[in-house]
Amino acid sequence: MGKISFPNSNNKTITMSAVINFPQGFDEKQTYPAIVVSHPGGGVKEQTAGTYARMLADEGFVAIAFDASYQGESGGEPRQLENPHIRTEDISAVIDYLTTLPYIDQGRIGAMGICAGAGYTANAAIQDRRIKAVGTVSAVNIGSMFRNGWENNVRSIDALPYIEAGSNARTSDASGTTATMPLAPLTEKDAPNEELRQAWEYYHTPRAECATAPGFAALRSLNQIITYDAYHMADVYLTQPLQIIAGSVAGSKWMSDDLFDRAASTDKQFHIVEGANHMDLYDGRKFVNEAVSVLAPFFRTKLSAGATAAQAAE
Protein backbone atom coordinates (compact mmCIF):
# COMPACT_ATOMS: atom_id res chain seq x y z
CA MET A 1 0.00 0.00 0.00
CA GLY A 2 1.26 3.45 -0.77
CA LYS A 3 0.14 7.02 -1.37
CA ILE A 4 0.64 8.18 -4.94
CA SER A 5 -0.07 11.26 -7.03
CA PHE A 6 -0.43 11.78 -10.76
CA PRO A 7 -1.74 14.44 -13.17
CA ASN A 8 -5.44 14.23 -13.97
CA SER A 9 -5.54 13.37 -17.68
CA ASN A 10 -8.69 15.48 -18.06
CA ASN A 11 -7.04 18.57 -16.57
CA LYS A 12 -3.26 18.42 -16.23
CA THR A 13 -3.27 21.36 -13.78
CA ILE A 14 -4.95 19.07 -11.20
CA THR A 15 -2.86 16.54 -9.34
CA MET A 16 -4.80 13.51 -8.16
CA SER A 17 -4.02 11.96 -4.78
CA ALA A 18 -4.68 8.27 -4.24
CA VAL A 19 -3.74 5.24 -2.19
CA ILE A 20 -2.90 2.11 -4.15
CA ASN A 21 -3.26 -1.24 -2.39
CA PHE A 22 -1.46 -4.39 -3.47
CA PRO A 23 -2.36 -8.04 -2.87
CA GLN A 24 -0.25 -10.23 -0.63
CA GLY A 25 2.83 -11.47 -2.45
CA PHE A 26 2.59 -8.71 -5.03
CA ASP A 27 5.20 -9.02 -7.78
CA GLU A 28 5.51 -6.04 -10.11
CA LYS A 29 6.74 -8.38 -12.85
CA GLN A 30 3.32 -10.03 -12.91
CA THR A 31 0.00 -8.57 -14.06
CA TYR A 32 -3.10 -8.16 -11.89
CA PRO A 33 -6.75 -7.21 -12.19
CA ALA A 34 -7.48 -3.75 -10.78
CA ILE A 35 -10.45 -2.12 -9.07
CA VAL A 36 -11.05 1.64 -8.85
CA VAL A 37 -12.93 2.62 -5.67
CA SER A 38 -14.84 5.93 -5.54
CA HIS A 39 -15.69 7.68 -2.27
CA PRO A 40 -19.07 9.13 -1.25
CA GLY A 41 -19.99 12.76 -1.78
CA GLY A 42 -18.11 14.64 0.94
CA GLY A 43 -15.84 11.69 1.66
CA VAL A 44 -12.15 11.03 1.07
CA LYS A 45 -9.94 8.06 0.29
CA GLU A 46 -9.01 7.52 3.96
CA GLN A 47 -12.61 6.68 4.88
CA THR A 48 -14.93 3.97 3.55
CA ALA A 49 -13.43 3.92 0.05
CA GLY A 50 -10.06 3.11 1.57
CA THR A 51 -11.60 0.37 3.68
CA TYR A 52 -13.09 -1.38 0.66
CA ALA A 53 -9.90 -0.91 -1.37
CA ARG A 54 -7.76 -2.51 1.35
CA MET A 55 -10.13 -5.42 1.75
CA LEU A 56 -10.32 -6.04 -1.99
CA ALA A 57 -6.53 -5.99 -2.20
CA ASP A 58 -6.53 -8.73 0.43
CA GLU A 59 -8.66 -10.71 -2.04
CA GLY A 60 -6.04 -10.52 -4.79
CA PHE A 61 -6.69 -7.24 -6.61
CA VAL A 62 -4.73 -4.07 -7.07
CA ALA A 63 -7.24 -1.61 -5.61
CA ILE A 64 -6.98 2.15 -5.76
CA ALA A 65 -8.96 4.65 -3.68
CA PHE A 66 -8.60 8.27 -4.73
CA ASP A 67 -9.67 11.76 -3.76
CA ALA A 68 -11.93 13.46 -6.28
CA SER A 69 -10.69 16.56 -8.06
CA TYR A 70 -11.15 19.67 -5.89
CA GLN A 71 -11.43 17.50 -2.77
CA GLY A 72 -9.27 15.80 -0.16
CA GLU A 73 -5.60 15.90 -1.06
CA SER A 74 -6.26 16.23 -4.80
CA GLY A 75 -5.81 19.62 -6.41
CA GLY A 76 -8.21 22.03 -8.03
CA GLU A 77 -10.08 25.24 -7.24
CA PRO A 78 -12.64 26.05 -5.98
CA ARG A 79 -12.22 23.64 -3.10
CA GLN A 80 -15.01 21.17 -2.36
CA LEU A 81 -16.57 21.43 -5.81
CA GLU A 82 -18.93 18.46 -6.24
CA ASN A 83 -19.48 18.50 -9.98
CA PRO A 84 -20.95 15.11 -10.95
CA HIS A 85 -19.62 15.26 -14.49
CA ILE A 86 -16.08 15.88 -13.25
CA ARG A 87 -16.39 13.20 -10.59
CA THR A 88 -17.45 10.73 -13.26
CA GLU A 89 -14.55 11.75 -15.49
CA ASP A 90 -12.17 11.37 -12.53
CA ILE A 91 -12.83 7.63 -12.60
CA SER A 92 -11.74 7.42 -16.22
CA ALA A 93 -8.71 9.57 -15.37
CA VAL A 94 -7.69 7.05 -12.70
CA ILE A 95 -8.10 4.27 -15.25
CA ASP A 96 -5.92 6.25 -17.66
CA TYR A 97 -3.23 6.24 -14.97
CA LEU A 98 -3.64 2.53 -14.25
CA THR A 99 -3.11 1.68 -17.91
CA THR A 100 0.39 3.15 -17.67
CA LEU A 101 1.39 0.69 -14.95
CA PRO A 102 3.04 -2.47 -16.32
CA TYR A 103 1.61 -4.69 -13.58
CA ILE A 104 -2.03 -3.84 -14.40
CA ASP A 105 -3.87 -6.08 -16.85
CA GLN A 106 -5.62 -3.44 -18.96
CA GLY A 107 -8.33 -5.87 -19.96
CA ARG A 108 -9.26 -6.67 -16.35
CA ILE A 109 -10.25 -3.39 -14.74
CA GLY A 110 -13.35 -3.09 -12.56
CA ALA A 111 -14.85 -0.21 -10.61
CA MET A 112 -16.97 0.20 -7.52
CA GLY A 113 -18.17 3.03 -5.33
CA ILE A 114 -20.05 3.82 -2.18
CA CYS A 115 -23.01 6.24 -1.95
CA ALA A 116 -22.64 8.97 -4.60
CA GLY A 117 -19.39 7.28 -5.62
CA ALA A 118 -21.48 4.29 -6.67
CA GLY A 119 -23.65 6.47 -8.87
CA TYR A 120 -20.60 8.06 -10.44
CA THR A 121 -19.15 4.59 -11.02
CA ALA A 122 -22.28 3.47 -12.85
CA ASN A 123 -22.17 6.62 -14.97
CA ALA A 124 -18.49 6.07 -15.75
CA ALA A 125 -19.18 2.50 -16.85
CA ILE A 126 -21.90 3.73 -19.22
CA GLN A 127 -19.28 5.85 -20.97
CA ASP A 128 -16.03 3.94 -20.47
CA ARG A 129 -15.89 0.42 -21.86
CA ARG A 130 -12.57 -0.25 -20.17
CA ILE A 131 -14.60 -0.87 -17.01
CA LYS A 132 -15.37 -4.59 -17.29
CA ALA A 133 -17.38 -5.07 -14.07
CA VAL A 134 -19.28 -2.71 -11.78
CA GLY A 135 -20.01 -2.91 -8.05
CA THR A 136 -22.14 -0.52 -6.00
CA VAL A 137 -22.61 -0.21 -2.24
CA SER A 138 -25.41 1.96 -0.80
CA ALA A 139 -25.76 3.55 -4.23
CA VAL A 140 -26.91 7.14 -4.49
CA ASN A 141 -27.84 8.88 -7.73
CA ILE A 142 -26.89 12.29 -6.41
CA GLY A 143 -29.14 14.13 -8.84
CA SER A 144 -32.17 12.07 -7.85
CA MET A 145 -31.38 12.49 -4.17
CA PHE A 146 -31.16 16.28 -4.38
CA ARG A 147 -34.26 16.51 -6.60
CA ASN A 148 -36.45 13.95 -4.90
CA GLY A 149 -35.20 13.70 -1.33
CA TRP A 150 -33.55 10.96 0.71
CA GLU A 151 -36.72 8.84 0.60
CA ASN A 152 -37.96 9.82 -2.88
CA ASN A 153 -40.92 11.85 -1.61
CA VAL A 154 -40.26 15.25 -3.24
CA ARG A 155 -41.32 16.38 -6.72
CA SER A 156 -38.48 17.23 -9.10
CA ILE A 157 -39.92 20.68 -9.85
CA ASP A 158 -39.69 21.53 -6.17
CA ALA A 159 -35.91 21.48 -6.52
CA LEU A 160 -35.98 24.49 -8.86
CA PRO A 161 -35.02 26.87 -5.99
CA TYR A 162 -31.82 24.86 -5.57
CA ILE A 163 -30.83 25.63 -9.16
CA GLU A 164 -31.56 29.26 -8.38
CA ALA A 165 -29.37 29.06 -5.28
CA GLY A 166 -26.54 27.48 -7.25
CA SER A 167 -26.82 30.17 -9.89
CA ASN A 168 -26.70 32.94 -7.29
CA ALA A 169 -23.71 31.26 -5.65
CA ARG A 170 -21.77 31.50 -8.89
CA THR A 171 -22.37 35.25 -8.83
CA SER A 172 -21.21 35.60 -5.23
CA ASP A 173 -18.25 33.29 -5.89
CA ALA A 174 -17.10 35.65 -8.63
CA SER A 175 -16.28 38.17 -5.89
CA GLY A 176 -13.79 35.74 -4.39
CA THR A 177 -15.67 33.98 -1.57
CA THR A 178 -16.94 30.45 -2.19
CA ALA A 179 -20.41 29.78 -0.77
CA THR A 180 -20.91 26.30 0.69
CA MET A 181 -23.67 23.82 1.55
CA PRO A 182 -23.74 20.68 3.72
CA LEU A 183 -23.53 17.28 2.02
CA ALA A 184 -24.39 15.57 5.31
CA PRO A 185 -25.77 17.17 8.49
CA LEU A 186 -23.10 19.45 9.93
CA THR A 187 -24.48 19.13 13.47
CA GLU A 188 -26.37 16.35 15.21
CA LYS A 189 -29.48 18.50 15.63
CA ASP A 190 -29.63 19.08 11.86
CA ALA A 191 -30.25 15.37 11.20
CA PRO A 192 -33.89 14.61 10.32
CA ASN A 193 -33.66 10.89 11.17
CA GLU A 194 -31.37 8.31 12.77
CA GLU A 195 -29.81 7.25 9.50
CA LEU A 196 -28.71 10.80 8.67
CA ARG A 197 -27.70 11.33 12.30
CA GLN A 198 -25.22 8.54 11.64
CA ALA A 199 -24.02 10.44 8.57
CA TRP A 200 -23.23 13.40 10.85
CA GLU A 201 -21.55 11.06 13.29
CA TYR A 202 -19.47 9.45 10.54
CA TYR A 203 -18.09 12.70 9.17
CA HIS A 204 -17.92 14.84 12.30
CA THR A 205 -16.93 12.61 15.22
CA PRO A 206 -14.02 10.23 15.86
CA ARG A 207 -16.07 7.48 14.21
CA ALA A 208 -14.48 8.44 10.86
CA GLU A 209 -13.81 12.18 10.75
CA CYS A 210 -10.90 13.28 8.60
CA ALA A 211 -9.35 16.72 8.33
CA THR A 212 -9.59 16.65 4.54
CA ALA A 213 -13.33 15.80 4.57
CA PRO A 214 -15.15 18.88 5.93
CA GLY A 215 -18.61 17.53 5.04
CA PHE A 216 -19.68 20.42 2.84
CA ALA A 217 -19.55 21.29 -0.84
CA ALA A 218 -19.32 24.44 -2.91
CA LEU A 219 -22.90 25.71 -3.28
CA ARG A 220 -22.37 26.31 -6.99
CA SER A 221 -22.31 22.50 -7.35
CA LEU A 222 -26.12 22.54 -7.22
CA ASN A 223 -26.29 23.73 -10.83
CA GLN A 224 -24.78 20.45 -12.03
CA ILE A 225 -26.19 18.18 -9.33
CA ILE A 226 -29.88 18.97 -9.73
CA THR A 227 -29.94 18.28 -13.46
CA TYR A 228 -27.67 15.22 -13.31
CA ASP A 229 -28.81 11.63 -13.72
CA ALA A 230 -26.08 9.12 -12.88
CA TYR A 231 -28.09 6.40 -14.63
CA HIS A 232 -28.72 8.29 -17.89
CA MET A 233 -28.71 5.79 -20.78
CA ALA A 234 -28.10 2.88 -18.40
CA ASP A 235 -30.96 1.11 -20.15
CA VAL A 236 -28.89 1.08 -23.34
CA TYR A 237 -25.20 1.19 -22.45
CA LEU A 238 -24.74 -0.22 -18.95
CA THR A 239 -24.18 -3.74 -20.23
CA GLN A 240 -21.23 -4.80 -18.05
CA PRO A 241 -21.72 -7.31 -15.23
CA LEU A 242 -23.23 -5.49 -12.26
CA GLN A 243 -23.31 -6.29 -8.55
CA ILE A 244 -25.52 -4.03 -6.44
CA ILE A 245 -25.42 -4.12 -2.62
CA ALA A 246 -27.78 -2.21 -0.32
CA GLY A 247 -29.04 -2.43 3.22
CA SER A 248 -32.56 -3.73 3.78
CA VAL A 249 -33.50 -0.70 5.91
CA ALA A 250 -31.56 1.96 3.99
CA GLY A 251 -33.56 5.06 3.16
CA SER A 252 -31.50 5.24 -0.01
CA LYS A 253 -32.35 1.72 -1.19
CA TRP A 254 -34.75 3.03 -3.83
CA MET A 255 -31.75 4.36 -5.78
CA SER A 256 -30.20 0.89 -5.87
CA ASP A 257 -33.57 -0.49 -6.98
CA ASP A 258 -33.67 2.13 -9.74
CA LEU A 259 -30.20 1.20 -10.97
CA PHE A 260 -31.05 -2.49 -11.02
CA ASP A 261 -34.25 -1.83 -12.96
CA ARG A 262 -32.64 0.51 -15.49
CA ALA A 263 -29.35 -1.26 -16.19
CA ALA A 264 -29.24 -3.01 -19.56
CA SER A 265 -26.91 -5.70 -18.24
CA THR A 266 -28.17 -9.25 -18.56
CA ASP A 267 -25.68 -10.21 -15.85
CA LYS A 268 -26.81 -8.25 -12.79
CA GLN A 269 -27.34 -9.24 -9.18
CA PHE A 270 -28.79 -7.44 -6.17
CA HIS A 271 -27.56 -8.45 -2.73
CA ILE A 272 -29.53 -7.12 0.24
CA VAL A 273 -27.71 -6.90 3.56
CA GLU A 274 -30.40 -7.63 6.13
CA GLY A 275 -30.67 -5.16 8.98
CA ALA A 276 -28.24 -2.67 7.47
CA ASN A 277 -28.99 0.97 6.80
CA HIS A 278 -27.12 3.23 4.39
CA MET A 279 -24.31 4.15 6.79
CA ASP A 280 -23.83 0.64 8.18
CA LEU A 281 -22.24 -0.34 4.87
CA TYR A 282 -19.59 2.36 5.31
CA ASP A 283 -17.93 0.99 8.43
CA GLY A 284 -20.12 -1.52 10.25
CA ARG A 285 -17.71 -4.42 10.46
CA LYS A 286 -20.11 -7.30 9.95
CA PHE A 287 -22.00 -5.45 7.22
CA VAL A 288 -18.86 -4.42 5.34
CA ASN A 289 -17.50 -7.95 5.67
CA GLU A 290 -20.70 -9.28 4.11
CA ALA A 291 -20.49 -6.75 1.27
CA VAL A 292 -16.88 -7.70 0.51
CA SER A 293 -17.77 -11.40 0.68
CA VAL A 294 -20.10 -10.68 -2.26
CA LEU A 295 -17.93 -8.21 -4.17
CA ALA A 296 -14.71 -10.24 -4.08
CA PRO A 297 -16.03 -13.36 -5.85
CA PHE A 298 -18.03 -11.17 -8.22
CA PHE A 299 -14.95 -9.27 -9.36
CA ARG A 300 -12.80 -12.40 -9.32
CA THR A 301 -15.21 -14.12 -11.72
CA LYS A 302 -16.03 -11.16 -13.94
CA LEU A 303 -12.43 -9.96 -14.20
CA SER A 304 -11.04 -13.37 -15.03
CA ALA A 305 -9.17 -13.52 -18.30
CA GLY A 306 -11.87 -15.68 -19.87
CA ALA A 307 -14.73 -13.45 -18.80
CA THR A 308 -13.18 -10.23 -20.06
CA ALA A 309 -12.20 -11.88 -23.33
CA ALA A 310 -15.82 -12.95 -23.80
CA GLN A 311 -16.98 -9.37 -23.16
CA ALA A 312 -14.53 -8.06 -25.76
CA ALA A 313 -15.84 -10.55 -28.32
CA GLU A 314 -19.46 -9.45 -27.89
Side-chain angles (χ1 to χ4, degrees):
M1 182 179 79
K3 186 179 288 187
I4 58 172
S5 61
F6 52 91
N8 186 319
S9 56
N10 297 309
N11 182 344
K12 294 296 180 64
T13 67
I14 293 177
T15 298
M16 303 296 289
S17 179
V19 173
I20 192 164
N21 300 267
F22 301 107
Q24 186 174 7
F26 173 75
D27 180 353
E28 64 181 11
K29 295 184 176 63
Q30 304 297 318
T31 59
Y32 296 84
I35 301 173
V36 178
V37 185
S38 298
H39 63 70
V44 289
K45 64 186 180 301
E46 288 82 7
Q47 296 171 325
T48 184
T51 297
Y52 278 90
R54 288 191 299 273
M55 294 177 73
L56 287 168
D58 289 342
E59 296 289 340
F61 305 94
V62 173
I64 185 168
F66 66 98
D67 286 334
S69 296
Y70 307 97
Q71 299 175 29
E73 295 179 317
S74 290
E77 296 286 344
R79 299 307 297 167
Q80 300 309 123
L81 185 70
E82 183 76 17
N83 184 314
H85 306 285
I86 294 173
R87 285 216 51 189
T88 296
E89 280 292 299
D90 280 347
I91 296 168
S92 289
V94 174
I95 294 173
D96 292 345
Y97 170 73
L98 288 176
T99 64
T100 70
L101 302 177
Y103 51 80
I104 299 297
D105 186 333
Q106 297 184 21
R108 300 166 66 198
I109 296 175
M112 67 152 290
I114 306 97
C115 189
Y120 298 138
T121 297
N123 196 247
I126 290 167
Q127 318 176 28
D128 194 332
R129 304 306 300 182
R130 297 174 299 176
I131 298 174
K132 301 303 182 184
V134 178
T136 68
V137 174
S138 292
V140 161
N141 180 344
I142 196 169
S144 294
M145 184 188 75
F146 270 81
R147 285 190 301 272
N148 306 122
W150 184 250
E151 296 179 338
N152 195 25
N153 55 5
V154 179
R155 298 184 307 159
S156 293
I157 188 59
D158 292 335
L160 185 59
Y162 293 134
I163 302 178
E164 186 80 22
S167 302
N168 292 337
R170 293 181 71 101
T171 299
S172 64
D173 288 359
S175 67
T177 303
T178 302
T180 62
M181 64 178 184
L183 279 176
L186 294 178
T187 68
E188 187 172 15
K189 65 181 178 58
D190 292 332
N193 55 48
E194 171 58 20
E195 193 167 33
L196 293 178
R197 190 203 67 78
Q198 288 191 33
W200 160 80
E201 181 181 76
Y202 185 86
Y203 287 109
H204 299 292
T205 77
R207 174 173 170 180
E209 65 184 344
C210 186
T212 56
F216 59 78
L219 185 59
R220 66 186 294 152
S221 307
L222 284 172
N223 285 79
Q224 286 75 43
I225 289 173
I226 298 299
T227 56
Y228 176 76
D229 176 13
Y231 308 156
H232 179 63
M233 301 297 289
D235 58 321
V236 179
Y237 298 122
L238 185 50
T239 61
Q240 297 97 318
L242 174 63
Q243 178 64 67
I244 296 171
I245 299 173
S248 63
V249 294
S252 61
K253 181 177 173 294
W254 63 276
M255 288 177 276
S256 291
D257 294 332
D258 188 31
L259 176 59
F260 185 82
D261 291 342
R262 291 170 65 179
S265 177
T266 57
D267 182 1
K268 56 185 177 181
Q269 295 84 37
F270 196 142
H271 180 82
I272 296 175
V273 180
E274 291 298 331
N277 67 23
H278 182 90
M279 300 304 302
D280 287 329
L281 286 166
Y282 281 43
D283 63 343
R285 178 169 296 186
K286 71 172 183 176
F287 299 122
V288 172
N289 285 345
E290 181 174 339
V292 173
S293 77
V294 173
L295 288 167
F298 165 75
F299 281 121
R300 190 173 297 115
T301 300
K302 305 309 177 184
L303 297 180
S304 68
T308 53
Q311 282 192 58
E314 290 178 354

